[in-house]
Amino acid sequence: MVSRDEADQLLSVAEGSYLIRESQRQPGTYTLALRFGNQTKNFRLYHDGKHFVGEKRFESIHDLVTDGLITLYIETKAAEYIAKMTINPIYEHIGYTTLNKEPTLKKHLPVCQEVPDGPAPQGERVDEEKGLTSLVRRATLKDKDHATKYEKVHNFKVHTFRGPHWCEYCANFMWGLIAQGVKCADCGLNVHKQCSKMVPNDCKPDLKHVKKVYSCDLTTLVKAHNSKRPMVVDMCIQEIESRGVQSEGLYRISGFSDLIEDVKLAFDRDGEKADISVNVYEDINIITGALKLYFRDLPIPLITYDAYPKFMEAAKITDPDKRLEAHHEGLKLLPPAHCETLCYLMAHLKRVTQNDKDNLMNAENLGIVFGPTLMRAPDLDAMTALNDIRYQRQATPDRLHCTAQRFKTLHSCVATDAGSIPVLATTGRPMR
């Protein structure tokens, strides 16, 4: 336990010398005093099994000091150069961007044919342009030709690189012993921490990094599989509509939890190759249970936390037209992949209600099932969350198809034959 002045005197003998001193005013707290640039710098020191000052954690004080000296030296001697890193990056010219460029859509272009020299007659040129536009439009609208290009932010995590490593944004060296930069958990992009703030939202997840289907961010999953919607949603809904849409209590009756867990593991393990056919799972309630579980497991709900308050506000509006317009505004807050998936699901639920004489699942019954499955309140106090329950009955927009049709040019939503979509209701009881 020495004073700051005494520590300064002790460390003045050599650059890079250091000591740990206990605080005189706060016994039990410790400070790292480090000599650098003919000054004694003081840092509050923390310990949780490893020693750390900022984000990095070290096995020993010596390693922490070594890394700190490297960082202080680089930042002092190359401050101007570091500042230029994020101002003049070579991101557009490095391997990451080049390797991840989308392939040219050659298959959508007509085969060029020989034509006589000279300009084409005006009428023919117009016809050709119309034909090309029509062809491209038809090709673009086909679901399976090309997935919608969804924008996605990188999922950066602090990372320790083994051996010398270079930033893939500014192409400069990453210095330090550990946690030299950050790595995108979804696509593998490696950058400086300060560069990560400048990287565009162009993450292209790689299946080798995205190792699961359930509990995976929805946009991450569809980009990794190059699809418009999660394959779980497509495959489960197709299976349900092919053999179970008239099943009594569809979505209300729960299947065996062990078998639902089997379906989840099959998707996580095999992805699009998962077998959920009647030969493997005869009970359709297993498939409906797996679909509901997928939505419940999403880290960000299908109706996102950002959109939740808007839907709550809309539910309190009594005028139908104004409420529909408010739901329209809520849809604008949904990420495109969430909007596309919601529209597809609503179209399916509408088809379920068209068979309600057999399955006994009308709009209100489906709402009770799906309300808490598709939306969850953000971190609210218990009383506010309790008050929200009474409004969640109207929270997911009725007549969503009409709203989606008006809004699809902005969000690429395609709600095929959805008609008038049921209001999704909810109760306070827990979901199976």
Side-chain angles (χ1 to χ4, degrees), residues 317-328 399 406:
I317 299 173
T318 55
D319 181 86
D321 291 332
K322 291 181 179 178
R323 185 168 68 246
L324 185 61
E325 190 60 36
H327 285 313
H328 181 208
R399 297 174 63 206
R406 292 164 56 196

Side-chain angles (χ1 to χ4, degrees), residues 21 28 30 56 102 107 119-120 221 248 266 333 341 348:
R21 61 184 182 85
Y30 298 88
K56 302 181 180 183
E102 295 294 332
K107 65 178 181 178
L221 185 69
E248 184 176 332
L333 299 176
T341 305
H348 162 65

Side-chain angles (χ1 to χ4, degrees), residues 259-296:
L259 293 177
I260 292 173
E261 192 66 24
D262 282 347
V263 175
K264 172 183 175 179
L265 294 174
F267 276 116
D268 282 342
R269 182 183 62 247
D270 304 325
E272 296 171 350
K273 297 179 180 178
D275 186 356
I276 58 172
S277 67
V278 66
N279 299 327
V280 183
Y281 302 103
E282 185 177 353
D283 184 2
I284 196 62
N285 298 311
I286 303 298
I287 309 304
T288 60
L291 180 61
K292 290 186 292 184
L293 180 61
Y294 172 76
F295 287 120
R296 289 200 300 274

Side-chain angles (χ1 to χ4, degrees), residues 130-179:
K130 282 183 179 177
L132 178 59
T133 304
S134 174
L135 177 65
V136 173
R137 187 184 298 116
R138 289 200 307 273
T140 305
L141 289 175
K142 289 181 182 177
D143 270 8
K144 295 183 179 179
D145 279 352
H146 284 281
T148 305
K149 302 299 183 289
Y150 298 131
E151 185 180 85
K152 181 186 176 302
V153 298
H154 290 272
N155 181 21
F156 286 121
K157 307 286 186 186
V158 176
H159 188 75
T160 295
F161 298 96
R162 302 300 176 192
H165 215 87
W166 279 261
C167 173
E168 292 180 83
Y169 179 76
C170 68
N172 286 280
F173 180 64
M174 293 183 181
W175 59 87
L177 299 181
I178 70 167

Side-chain angles (χ1 to χ4, degrees), residues 70-224:
I70 293 170
T71 301
L72 288 169
Y73 184 83
I74 294 289
E75 290 180 349
T76 301
K77 301 295 183 183
E80 186 179 348
Y81 187 70
I82 293 171
K84 289 179 179 178
M85 285 182 180
T86 52
I87 297 172
N88 300 307
I90 64 165
Y91 182 73
E92 294 299 323
H93 311 291
I94 58 176
Y96 170 78
T97 307
T98 306
L99 291 173
N100 283 275
K101 280 183 179 175
E102 295 294 332
T104 306
L105 308 182
K106 290 183 180 178
K107 65 178 181 178
H108 293 322
L109 297 178
V111 178
C112 293
Q113 297 180 350
E114 255 186 67
V115 294
D117 291 339
Q122 189 66 28
E124 289 183 19
R125 189 182 308 150
V126 172
D127 289 342
E128 286 174 6
E129 288 176 359
K130 282 183 179 177
L132 178 59
T133 304
S134 174
L135 177 65
V136 173
R137 187 184 298 116
R138 289 200 307 273
T140 305
L141 289 175
K142 289 181 182 177
D143 270 8
K144 295 183 179 179
D145 279 352
H146 284 281
T148 305
K149 302 299 183 289
Y150 298 131
E151 185 180 85
K152 181 186 176 302
V153 298
H154 290 272
N155 181 21
F156 286 121
K157 307 286 186 186
V158 176
H159 188 75
T160 295
F161 298 96
R162 302 300 176 192
H165 215 87
W166 279 261
C167 173
E168 292 180 83
Y169 179 76
C170 68
N172 286 280
F173 180 64
M174 293 183 181
W175 59 87
L177 299 181
I178 70 167
Q180 305 96 319
V182 293
K183 183 185 186 80
C184 178
D186 297 332
C187 71
L189 181 66
N190 307 312
V191 295
H192 288 109
K193 183 181 176 183
Q194 63 267 39
C195 289
S196 68
K197 300 169 186 176
M198 312 292 290
V199 174
N201 298 337
D202 62 350
C203 178
K204 299 177 179 63
D206 192 319
L207 284 173
K208 69 181 180 183
H209 297 295
V210 181
K211 300 188 182 296
K212 60 184 178 180
V213 171
Y214 279 66
S215 303
C216 177
D217 173 71
L218 191 148
T219 303
T220 299
L221 185 69
V222 297
K223 284 184 71 68

Side-chain angles (χ1 to χ4, degrees), residues 143 148 150 228-229 335-345 411-415:
D143 270 8
T148 305
Y150 298 131
K228 292 180 71 173
R229 296 174 297 273
H338 285 243
C339 185
E340 166 64 33
T341 305
L342 181 62
C343 290
Y344 187 74
L345 176 66
H411 277 283
S412 301
C413 289
V414 181

